[in-house]
Amino acid sequence: MEPVPLCSGEVIVTVEHPAQMMSVDWNTCRASAIVVPDAMSIPAVKSHAGGRPVGMLINADGWNPEEDIGAEWPSERLIGRFKNIVSRATHEEADFIYLRMRQNLHVLRAAVLAVTDQCGLGILAEIPVDEDRRTADNSSALAVMGILQRIGVAGIILAGEPADVDDVIEELAPYANIALGVSVEPHELDQMQHLESVEFYHTSEEDDIERILRRVPTCDGANEPAADEDYILAPVGEHVHFVDATIDISDPIDLEDHFGETLLDLEDQWSGALKLEISTSYDVHLLAENQVMLNRPVCLEAEDPELLEEALRVFDGIALYDGTWELDEDTLEYFRRHYGMVSL
């Protein structure tokens, strides 16, 4: 996989409140792109933005998937809520979607699926990280990036304390094939060491743009991170996993009602990946309910492609596919592009 390109010094400015738009001189503003808080603000900014891309903010906080009725997680109802928001952004001709997530991967993934279901808009995701290189729901930041970059997210903006963000950039950059960015105060950039691997900076204040640009490092390519071409990043939930074409896969596991107990029994048995057999919609429900117990790469198999898609939709990770049930090339490509499925 290719490492993320080196820093190009681009700044995204977020208009947090509609009234803030009136105080910005868009003719002189040096922002590369603008994010507005709602769909109604898009036409007003577009009329003054001088051709800059205008994106709409979707706050993925405060959505509780456990409240949604149904077998899927994230459920179609949850994805449908985000689709309604995305449709308004599309109607007002937004150029991209800016997702802000401080809650959990389940909800963020539902928002991404809603965007990719609804339209072809680019997606940037802002994610807070801490000193342990984890997100708000204790997921590994590397795992989250590994999932998002395979399901259609174009860039990730890291937010947090400068030292923590710095450490996360160092960890993510060698495995990123999407843009990385940071959301920090201008004076904090001097405290960071790994900005050579950052393409975008984020701010909500127009006055910060000049100060950020003055602190953006000159890039000579000397610190471009080296990627490992031999392994594929295929996380499962909060866990980071690297796989290759020779990974050992278990015999098919029938989910049934004792799936949770089966997973406990398998903890002491070695295999590189677990092959889960999806035979009914109830199996999909069991997968959604028990996936928090999965700590190894997962290979999903189903004779019915529609049933396999149901499983891919609820699985909060990147699933492997070993060709047990053959898929036509168009379906296989769709599953790769939309759900990040890895064909071995």
Side-chain angles (χ1 to χ4, degrees), residues 24-248:
V24 176
D25 184 351
W26 298 112
N27 292 322
T28 60
C29 179
R30 293 183 64 187
S32 302
I34 303 161
V35 178
V36 296
D38 53 59
M40 298 301 293
S41 303
I42 296 171
V45 171
K46 271 187 168 287
S47 65
H48 297 90
R52 295 183 188 87
V54 176
M56 193 187 82
L57 172 69
I58 296 180
N59 193 328
D61 296 342
W63 302 74
N64 185 1
E66 294 180 345
E67 295 177 353
D68 292 302
I69 301 171
E72 290 89 0
W73 188 345
S75 71
E76 290 301 318
R77 183 179 171 189
L78 178 61
I79 295 174
R81 291 180 182 179
F82 285 117
K83 279 186 178 181
N84 289 335
I85 299 173
V86 174
S87 65
R88 293 194 288 272
T90 305
H91 180 266
E92 298 296 346
E93 300 184 346
D95 297 304
F96 63 96
I97 297 294
Y98 192 98
L99 295 175
R100 177 172 288 162
M101 189 282 287
R102 297 188 181 94
Q103 187 179 30
N104 61 59
L105 175 60
H106 308 291
V107 180
L108 178 60
R109 185 172 176 273
V112 173
L113 290 179
V115 177
T116 55
D117 279 353
Q118 191 79 9
C119 63
L121 295 179
I123 304 170
L124 296 176
E126 180 184 316
I127 300 172
V129 292
D130 62 20
E131 60 185 1
D132 297 320
R133 303 179 186 180
R134 294 191 169 270
T135 63
D137 64 343
N138 203 39
S139 295
S140 160
L142 182 56
V144 172
M145 185 197 73
I147 293 169
L148 296 183
Q149 70 181 8
R150 291 192 65 90
I151 63 174
V153 172
I156 291 176
I157 309 295
L158 302 166
E161 294 297 321
D164 301 338
V165 172
D166 203 34
D167 288 344
V168 174
I169 292 171
E170 182 181 22
E171 181 181 35
L172 267 54
Y175 308 105
N177 55 23
I178 57 176
L180 296 179
V182 297
S183 178
V184 295
E185 297 298 323
H187 67 274
E188 295 175 330
L189 293 179
D190 294 335
Q191 304 173 40
M192 304 176 68
Q193 303 298 318
H194 298 287
L195 295 178
E196 293 87 352
S197 298
V198 175
E199 276 198 299
F200 298 106
Y201 300 84
H202 171 262
T203 181
S204 61
E205 299 295 335
E206 182 192 10
D207 292 343
D208 288 344
I209 294 175
E210 293 297 331
R211 289 188 287 163
I212 288 175
L213 291 175
R214 284 197 297 270
R215 287 169 169 79
V216 169
T218 301
C219 301
D220 57 10
N223 295 316
E224 184 167 358
D228 191 334
E229 300 285 353
D230 296 329
Y231 294 92
I232 298 169
L233 178 57
V236 174
E238 66 180 47
H239 304 289
V240 176
H241 299 290
F242 292 91
V243 303
D244 63 16
T246 63
I247 189 170
D248 177 66

Side-chain angles (χ1 to χ4, degrees), residues 243-253 266 269-277 296-301 319-324 342-344:
V243 303
D244 63 16
T246 63
I247 189 170
D248 177 66
I249 300 175
S250 71
D251 293 332
I253 299 169
L266 288 170
Q269 299 180 25
W270 187 91
S271 64
L274 301 177
K275 180 184 286 190
L276 306 183
E277 188 173 12
R296 268 177 278 184
V298 168
C299 178
L300 293 176
E301 69 161 17
L320 310 180
Y321 169 73
D322 68 349
T324 298
V342 174
S343 293
L344 299 176

